[in-house]
Amino acid sequence: MPCILHIDMDAFFAAVELLRHPELRGEPVVVGGRGVPFERGVVSTASYEARRFGVHSGMPLRTAFRLCPFCHFLPVDAPVYLKISEHIKALLQTYSPTVEEGGIDEAFLDLSEVADPVGIARIIKERIREETGLTASVGIGPNKLLAKMASDLEKPDGLVALPGEDIERRIWPLPVRRLWGVGPRTEAHLKSMGVKTIGELAGIPPAVLVVEFKPSRGHYLHRAAHGIDDTPLTAQRVPKSLGHQATFQRDTGDPEAIEAELNALTEGLVMRLHNMRLLARSVSVRLRYADFESHTHALHLPEPTDDFAVLFEAARKDLHRFNRERARKVRLVGVRFGDLHPA
Ligand code: TTP
Ligand code: MG
């Protein structure tokens, strides 16, 4: 039986700031931008005290100030949060061979082989508290979806095990917005259909959802509302793309010279693909001309690959699409592999 643990730090940026401003503990605290509420910028996060006034992530600082003029506004100090994040991620690695990093303050652990996942969860929370002074919320479930939703149920400092049979009681009464993957647009669409809770969504026939939304989205919503999710943990974060570029010593209009450089760049990138055990499904080539104007052509492959011959052929096809502009001299050529997948 699979067992997944999801961990998410509580009010992360704000909690870190409170470590160095203990006098603000218990006060409403907003972290965002340069910490100046009448400047441009948005709220990164707010302490739970500030959230009571309606302040939330993504809101303009000015709006937060209007809602909560006596909130304490602090600037974002990303390097400090990253350092603590790395410390926590390293700690998590010691409890499972498979750790998937979510955002800066969250991760999934595969605990399928562990006898007492709840015991491990307690130990992890305790160690994080000891080593960083911060609290985390943990969810445990049979898949990523339920683990993620469980960690959110009793924030802050929560620890919730959510077996499949508890979905009806604990998940279905929640508003659809709390379902993983449902944003404001889906929420509004569902509302227009008269669907407010996850339980109501679970009761809609999938055939209806498929018509209302795109088919894949409709299926996702149906399955998610029933707590079904079979996406595996990816231990390694897959980058969005891999690219490399080279500037010619002297601007050139020689197609052979450009193609030779393209060959070398593609070779280097294929090596990186192999090392990272990734496959690419799109190849784009960028030329920068002597006057610094740049153009890009991209090509999508029928399936992801790490085969040099296929990828180089795609890059050459991209290059040939520049032919109309052949008269212009080229200063730089770049190749980028996109749409990456784990091999
Ligand atoms: P979250 O885990 O979404 O939020 P949180 O940790 O502040 O609060 P919660 O207790 O509800 O988990 O995001 C983690 C950090 O990422 C958050 O502290 C700040 C940052 N962040 C942004 O900078 N912008 C955003 O829009 C969001 C959602 C988060
Ligand atoms: Mg968090």
Side-chain angles (χ1 to χ4, degrees):
M1 181 71 173
C3 178
I4 307 299
L5 178 150
H6 180 255
I7 183 161
D8 188 296
M9 303 302 296
D10 301 320
F12 186 48
F13 292 6
V16 174
E17 291 299 340
L18 286 174
L19 294 174
R20 19 181 210 190
H21 301 283
E23 72 281 5
L24 295 181
R25 218 161 263 288
E27 300 275 319
V29 170
V30 175
V31 180
R34 298 200 292 178
V36 184
F38 36 84
E39 276 186 7
R40 275 198 177 172
V42 293
V43 174
S44 289
T45 197
S47 68
Y48 283 67
E49 288 82 359
R51 290 183 201 188
R52 279 192 212 114
F53 295 90
V55 178
H56 59 76
S57 300
M59 169 184 278
L61 288 172
R62 283 174 218 216
T63 313
F65 183 71
R66 203 157 31 74
L67 289 171
C68 183
F70 38 83
C71 271
H72 301 271
F73 288 81
L74 300 172
V76 174
D77 188 352
V80 170
Y81 314 145
L82 264 173
K83 205 162 163 225
I84 295 177
S85 168
E86 275 163 22
H87 180 99
I88 295 167
K89 302 274 165 82
L91 183 158
L92 295 176
Q93 299 282 350
T94 61
Y95 291 96
S96 168
T98 317
V99 178
E100 175 180 329
E101 299 190 13
I104 186 167
D105 80 330
E106 60 175 310
F108 292 95
L109 275 67
D110 189 343
L111 295 187
S112 305
E113 307 298 324
V114 166
D116 177 17
V118 174
I120 294 285
R122 284 209 187 90
I123 294 171
I124 289 175
K125 277 167 59 94
E126 193 44 44
R127 271 196 66 193
I128 291 178
R129 189 199 299 274
E130 273 171 17
E131 293 180 24
T132 67
L134 300 172
T135 62
S137 292
V138 170
I140 296 172
N143 56 40
K144 283 169 73 174
L145 173 85
L146 290 178
K148 168 109 178 166
M149 295 197 58
S151 70
D152 205 38
L153 284 176
E154 292 180 14
K155 257 181 176 294
D157 204 13
L159 169 48
V160 177
L162 184 69
E165 56 268 26
D166 283 2
I167 296 173
E168 227 176 297
R169 186 171 59 86
R170 302 212 63 177
I171 299 295
W172 284 7
L174 300 173
V176 286
R177 187 60 198 274
R178 297 277 295 276
L179 189 63
W180 194 16
V182 171
R185 278 175 57 192
T186 306
E187 180 188 31
H189 190 150
L190 288 169
K191 197 172 161 203
S192 76
M193 298 165 60
V195 177
K196 286 196 213 66
T197 66
I198 299 174
E200 286 164 1
L201 174 60
I204 306 275
V208 173
L209 292 173
V210 163
V211 174
E212 287 283 339
F213 298 87
K214 282 189 198 137
S216 63
R217 182 89 185 126
H219 282 298
Y220 171 78
L221 290 172
H222 175 75
R223 288 162 56 86
H226 286 270
I228 304 167
D229 171 32
D230 50 21
T231 49
L233 260 65
T234 36
Q236 173 207 11
R237 292 265 282 165
V238 176
K240 284 210 159 39
S241 66
L242 286 179
H244 203 39
Q245 57 190 39
T247 307
F248 293 105
Q249 287 298 322
R250 240 185 243 137
D251 299 349
T252 177
D254 174 7
E256 274 179 32
I258 298 171
E259 193 168 311
E261 193 55 60
L262 199 65
N263 188 316
L265 289 170
T266 307
E267 228 169 51
L269 283 180
V270 167
M271 243 155 67
R272 280 170 67 193
L273 268 191
H274 288 175
N275 283 341
M276 299 175 79
R277 295 183 194 200
L278 293 174
L279 306 174
R281 227 192 127 183
S282 84
V283 180
S284 63
V285 169
R286 188 162 78 108
L287 295 185
R288 179 182 290 155
Y289 296 106
D291 59 3
F292 276 84
E293 202 178 293
S294 295
H295 292 274
T296 304
H297 282 296
L299 202 125
H300 289 268
L301 302 166
E303 54 191 46
T305 180
D306 60 357
D307 182 13
F308 171 78
V310 177
L311 291 162
F312 181 52
E313 189 49 36
R316 278 187 53 200
K317 279 188 186 151
D318 284 333
L319 185 63
H320 288 153
R321 289 166 67 193
F322 285 93
N323 269 355
R324 273 172 286 134
E325 302 149 14
R326 179 173 266 173
R328 297 172 79 177
K329 286 206 165 171
V330 172
R331 175 187 170 82
L332 167 151
V333 54
V335 186
R336 183 163 290 277
F337 293 167
D339 197 359
L340 303 177
H341 301 256

PDB file of all heavy atoms in Angstrom, residues 227-248:
ATOM      1  N   GLY A 227     -10.648  11.606  -4.534  1.00  0.00           N
ATOM      2  CA  GLY A 227      -9.386  11.282  -3.864  1.00  0.00           C
ATOM      3  C   GLY A 227      -8.502  10.351  -4.667  1.00  0.00           C
ATOM      4  O   GLY A 227      -7.595   9.724  -4.114  1.00  0.00           O
ATOM      5  N   ILE A 228      -8.767  10.252  -5.977  1.00  0.00           N
ATOM      6  CA  ILE A 228      -7.977   9.339  -6.808  1.00  0.00           C
ATOM      7  C   ILE A 228      -6.818  10.105  -7.445  1.00  0.00           C
ATOM      8  O   ILE A 228      -7.019  11.172  -8.026  1.00  0.00           O
ATOM      9  CB  ILE A 228      -8.844   8.714  -7.923  1.00  0.00           C
ATOM     10  CG1 ILE A 228     -10.064   8.018  -7.309  1.00  0.00           C
ATOM     11  CG2 ILE A 228      -8.033   7.737  -8.765  1.00  0.00           C
ATOM     12  CD1 ILE A 228     -11.123   7.648  -8.325  1.00  0.00           C
ATOM     13  N   ASP A 229      -5.625   9.552  -7.324  1.00  0.00           N
ATOM     14  CA  ASP A 229      -4.436  10.188  -7.889  1.00  0.00           C
ATOM     15  C   ASP A 229      -3.352   9.133  -7.973  1.00  0.00           C
ATOM     16  O   ASP A 229      -3.039   8.483  -6.987  1.00  0.00           O
ATOM     17  CB  ASP A 229      -3.991  11.339  -6.968  1.00  0.00           C
ATOM     18  CG  ASP A 229      -2.641  11.910  -7.357  1.00  0.00           C
ATOM     19  OD1 ASP A 229      -2.323  11.917  -8.557  1.00  0.00           O
ATOM     20  OD2 ASP A 229      -1.913  12.368  -6.452  1.00  0.00           O
ATOM     21  N   ASP A 230      -2.810   8.927  -9.189  1.00  0.00           N
ATOM     22  CA  ASP A 230      -1.748   7.924  -9.285  1.00  0.00           C
ATOM     23  C   ASP A 230      -0.453   8.517  -9.836  1.00  0.00           C
ATOM     24  O   ASP A 230       0.386   7.806 -10.357  1.00  0.00           O
ATOM     25  CB  ASP A 230      -2.194   6.714 -10.127  1.00  0.00           C
ATOM     26  CG  ASP A 230      -2.782   7.147 -11.454  1.00  0.00           C
ATOM     27  OD1 ASP A 230      -2.481   8.275 -11.870  1.00  0.00           O
ATOM     28  OD2 ASP A 230      -3.538   6.363 -12.062  1.00  0.00           O
ATOM     29  N   THR A 231      -0.305   9.860  -9.689  1.00  0.00           N
ATOM     30  CA  THR A 231       0.949  10.444 -10.165  1.00  0.00           C
ATOM     31  C   THR A 231       2.086  10.021  -9.231  1.00  0.00           C
ATOM     32  O   THR A 231       1.966  10.120  -8.018  1.00  0.00           O
ATOM     33  CB  THR A 231       0.893  11.987 -10.210  1.00  0.00           C
ATOM     34  OG1 THR A 231       0.382  12.432  -8.961  1.00  0.00           O
ATOM     35  CG2 THR A 231       0.024  12.487 -11.325  1.00  0.00           C
ATOM     36  N   PRO A 232       3.187   9.531  -9.826  1.00  0.00           N
ATOM     37  CA  PRO A 232       4.297   9.079  -8.999  1.00  0.00           C
ATOM     38  C   PRO A 232       5.106  10.256  -8.461  1.00  0.00           C
ATOM     39  O   PRO A 232       5.006  11.370  -8.982  1.00  0.00           O
ATOM     40  CB  PRO A 232       5.149   8.265  -9.983  1.00  0.00           C
ATOM     41  CG  PRO A 232       4.832   8.844 -11.317  1.00  0.00           C
ATOM     42  CD  PRO A 232       3.440   9.389 -11.251  1.00  0.00           C
ATOM     43  N   LEU A 233       5.869   9.998  -7.433  1.00  0.00           N
ATOM     44  CA  LEU A 233       6.782  11.020  -6.932  1.00  0.00           C
ATOM     45  C   LEU A 233       7.961  11.121  -7.879  1.00  0.00           C
ATOM     46  O   LEU A 233       8.502  10.103  -8.299  1.00  0.00           O
ATOM     47  CB  LEU A 233       7.319  10.625  -5.547  1.00  0.00           C
ATOM     48  CG  LEU A 233       6.652  11.291  -4.353  1.00  0.00           C
ATOM     49  CD1 LEU A 233       5.207  10.849  -4.276  1.00  0.00           C
ATOM     50  CD2 LEU A 233       7.388  10.972  -3.090  1.00  0.00           C
ATOM     51  N   THR A 234       8.338  12.336  -8.221  1.00  0.00           N
ATOM     52  CA  THR A 234       9.557  12.489  -9.015  1.00  0.00           C
ATOM     53  C   THR A 234      10.621  13.047  -8.096  1.00  0.00           C
ATOM     54  O   THR A 234      10.525  14.181  -7.653  1.00  0.00           O
ATOM     55  CB  THR A 234       9.351  13.436 -10.211  1.00  0.00           C
ATOM     56  OG1 THR A 234       8.458  14.464  -9.804  1.00  0.00           O
ATOM     57  CG2 THR A 234       8.746  12.713 -11.394  1.00  0.00           C
ATOM     58  N   ALA A 235      11.596  12.173  -7.789  1.00  0.00           N
ATOM     59  CA  ALA A 235      12.608  12.530  -6.802  1.00  0.00           C
ATOM     60  C   ALA A 235      13.374  13.762  -7.264  1.00  0.00           C
ATOM     61  O   ALA A 235      13.764  14.597  -6.491  1.00  0.00           O
ATOM     62  CB  ALA A 235      13.559  11.374  -6.588  1.00  0.00           C
ATOM     63  N   GLN A 236      13.545  13.870  -8.566  1.00  0.00           N
ATOM     64  CA  GLN A 236      14.343  14.962  -9.086  1.00  0.00           C
ATOM     65  C   GLN A 236      13.402  15.975  -9.716  1.00  0.00           C
ATOM     66  O   GLN A 236      12.452  15.613 -10.388  1.00  0.00           O
ATOM     67  CB  GLN A 236      15.294  14.380 -10.126  1.00  0.00           C
ATOM     68  CG  GLN A 236      16.087  15.382 -10.885  1.00  0.00           C
ATOM     69  CD  GLN A 236      16.459  14.845 -12.259  1.00  0.00           C
ATOM     70  OE1 GLN A 236      15.958  13.819 -12.689  1.00  0.00           O
ATOM     71  NE2 GLN A 236      17.314  15.544 -12.928  1.00  0.00           N
ATOM     72  N   ARG A 237      13.694  17.240  -9.462  1.00  0.00           N
ATOM     73  CA  ARG A 237      12.881  18.266 -10.093  1.00  0.00           C
ATOM     74  C   ARG A 237      13.275  18.357 -11.559  1.00  0.00           C
ATOM     75  O   ARG A 237      14.439  18.500 -11.889  1.00  0.00           O
ATOM     76  CB  ARG A 237      13.117  19.605  -9.416  1.00  0.00           C
ATOM     77  CG  ARG A 237      12.585  19.625  -8.004  1.00  0.00           C
ATOM     78  CD  ARG A 237      11.210  20.184  -7.936  1.00  0.00           C
ATOM     79  NE  ARG A 237      11.242  21.636  -8.014  1.00  0.00           N
ATOM     80  CZ  ARG A 237      10.180  22.371  -8.260  1.00  0.00           C
ATOM     81  NH1 ARG A 237       9.035  21.787  -8.489  1.00  0.00           N
ATOM     82  NH2 ARG A 237      10.273  23.679  -8.295  1.00  0.00           N
ATOM     83  N   VAL A 238      12.290  18.252 -12.444  1.00  0.00           N
ATOM     84  CA  VAL A 238      12.587  18.326 -13.873  1.00  0.00           C
ATOM     85  C   VAL A 238      12.642  19.795 -14.287  1.00  0.00           C
ATOM     86  O   VAL A 238      11.669  20.531 -14.106  1.00  0.00           O
ATOM     87  CB  VAL A 238      11.493  17.599 -14.686  1.00  0.00           C
ATOM     88  CG1 VAL A 238      11.744  17.747 -16.174  1.00  0.00           C
ATOM     89  CG2 VAL A 238      11.447  16.134 -14.281  1.00  0.00           C
ATOM     90  N   PRO A 239      13.784  20.246 -14.817  1.00  0.00           N
ATOM     91  CA  PRO A 239      13.843  21.642 -15.259  1.00  0.00           C
ATOM     92  C   PRO A 239      12.916  21.856 -16.450  1.00  0.00           C
ATOM     93  O   PRO A 239      12.541  20.904 -17.133  1.00  0.00           O
ATOM     94  CB  PRO A 239      15.308  21.828 -15.667  1.00  0.00           C
ATOM     95  CG  PRO A 239      15.838  20.464 -15.917  1.00  0.00           C
ATOM     96  CD  PRO A 239      15.021  19.521 -15.095  1.00  0.00           C
ATOM     97  N   LYS A 240      12.523  23.102 -16.677  1.00  0.00           N
ATOM     98  CA  LYS A 240      11.609  23.389 -17.779  1.00  0.00           C
ATOM     99  C   LYS A 240      12.310  23.233 -19.119  1.00  0.00           C
ATOM    100  O   LYS A 240      11.739  22.771 -20.082  1.00  0.00           O
ATOM    101  CB  LYS A 240      11.052  24.809 -17.638  1.00  0.00           C
ATOM    102  CG  LYS A 240       9.993  24.920 -16.569  1.00  0.00           C
ATOM    103  CD  LYS A 240       9.005  26.022 -16.924  1.00  0.00           C
ATOM    104  CE  LYS A 240       7.680  25.878 -16.204  1.00  0.00           C
ATOM    105  NZ  LYS A 240       7.786  25.442 -14.826  1.00  0.00           N
ATOM    106  N   SER A 241      13.569  23.623 -19.168  1.00  0.00           N
ATOM    107  CA  SER A 241      14.295  23.524 -20.431  1.00  0.00           C
ATOM    108  C   SER A 241      15.791  23.534 -20.149  1.00  0.00           C
ATOM    109  O   SER A 241      16.225  23.890 -19.055  1.00  0.00           O
ATOM    110  CB  SER A 241      13.922  24.683 -21.358  1.00  0.00           C
ATOM    111  OG  SER A 241      14.370  25.908 -20.815  1.00  0.00           O
ATOM    112  N   LEU A 242      16.554  23.104 -21.164  1.00  0.00           N
ATOM    113  CA  LEU A 242      18.015  23.134 -21.086  1.00  0.00           C
ATOM    114  C   LEU A 242      18.499  23.837 -22.330  1.00  0.00           C
ATOM    115  O   LEU A 242      18.099  23.472 -23.439  1.00  0.00           O
ATOM    116  CB  LEU A 242      18.588  21.718 -21.100  1.00  0.00           C
ATOM    117  CG  LEU A 242      18.478  20.835 -19.877  1.00  0.00           C
ATOM    118  CD1 LEU A 242      19.113  19.476 -20.194  1.00  0.00           C
ATOM    119  CD2 LEU A 242      19.160  21.469 -18.688  1.00  0.00           C
ATOM    120  N   GLY A 243      19.364  24.818 -22.162  1.00  0.00           N
ATOM    121  CA  GLY A 243      19.822  25.535 -23.344  1.00  0.00           C
ATOM    122  C   GLY A 243      21.289  25.902 -23.260  1.00  0.00           C
ATOM    123  O   GLY A 243      21.886  25.894 -22.174  1.00  0.00           O
ATOM    124  N   HIS A 244      21.856  26.203 -24.430  1.00  0.00           N
ATOM    125  CA  HIS A 244      23.241  26.621 -24.486  1.00  0.00           C
ATOM    126  C   HIS A 244      23.418  27.479 -25.721  1.00  0.00           C
ATOM    127  O   HIS A 244      22.711  27.286 -26.709  1.00  0.00           O
ATOM    128  CB  HIS A 244      24.144  25.378 -24.541  1.00  0.00           C
ATOM    129  CG  HIS A 244      25.517  25.670 -24.052  1.00  0.00           C
ATOM    130  ND1 HIS A 244      25.776  26.491 -22.986  1.00  0.00           N
ATOM    131  CD2 HIS A 244      26.740  25.244 -24.482  1.00  0.00           C
ATOM    132  CE1 HIS A 244      27.067  26.561 -22.780  1.00  0.00           C
ATOM    133  NE2 HIS A 244      27.686  25.815 -23.676  1.00  0.00           N
ATOM    134  N   GLN A 245      24.355  28.409 -25.663  1.00  0.00           N
ATOM    135  CA  GLN A 245      24.549  29.268 -26.817  1.00  0.00           C
ATOM    136  C   GLN A 245      26.016  29.600 -26.993  1.00  0.00           C
ATOM    137  O   GLN A 245      26.802  29.443 -26.068  1.00  0.00           O
ATOM    138  CB  GLN A 245      23.722  30.542 -26.676  1.00  0.00           C
ATOM    139  CG  GLN A 245      24.024  31.323 -25.408  1.00  0.00           C
ATOM    140  CD  GLN A 245      23.021  32.429 -25.203  1.00  0.00           C
ATOM    141  OE1 GLN A 245      21.849  32.260 -25.454  1.00  0.00           O
ATOM    142  NE2 GLN A 245      23.503  33.580 -24.759  1.00  0.00           N
ATOM    143  N   ALA A 246      26.360  30.015 -28.196  1.00  0.00           N
ATOM    144  CA  ALA A 246      27.751  30.359 -28.469  1.00  0.00           C
ATOM    145  C   ALA A 246      27.792  31.605 -29.342  1.00  0.00           C
ATOM    146  O   ALA A 246      26.987  31.760 -30.256  1.00  0.00           O
ATOM    147  CB  ALA A 246      28.445  29.204 -29.183  1.00  0.00           C
ATOM    148  N   THR A 247      28.722  32.484 -29.021  1.00  0.00           N
ATOM    149  CA  THR A 247      28.917  33.694 -29.820  1.00  0.00           C
ATOM    150  C   THR A 247      30.109  33.467 -30.737  1.00  0.00           C
ATOM    151  O   THR A 247      31.153  32.991 -30.294  1.00  0.00           O
ATOM    152  CB  THR A 247      29.201  34.898 -28.894  1.00  0.00           C
ATOM    153  OG1 THR A 247      28.164  34.976 -27.931  1.00  0.00           O
ATOM    154  CG2 THR A 247      29.262  36.199 -29.676  1.00  0.00           C
ATOM    155  N   PHE A 248      29.919  33.777 -32.004  1.00  0.00           N
ATOM    156  CA  PHE A 248      31.036  33.619 -32.954  1.00  0.00           C
ATOM    157  C   PHE A 248      32.093  34.685 -32.697  1.00  0.00           C
ATOM    158  O   PHE A 248      31.758  35.817 -32.337  1.00  0.00           O
ATOM    159  CB  PHE A 248      30.523  33.735 -34.395  1.00  0.00           C
ATOM    160  CG  PHE A 248      29.630  32.592 -34.790  1.00  0.00           C
ATOM    161  CD1 PHE A 248      28.259  32.759 -34.884  1.00  0.00           C
ATOM    162  CD2 PHE A 248      30.169  31.336 -35.041  1.00  0.00           C
ATOM    163  CE1 PHE A 248      27.436  31.696 -35.225  1.00  0.00           C
ATOM    164  CE2 PHE A 248      29.346  30.273 -35.397  1.00  0.00           C
ATOM    165  CZ  PHE A 248      27.976  30.461 -35.478  1.00  0.00           C
TER     166      PHE A 248
END
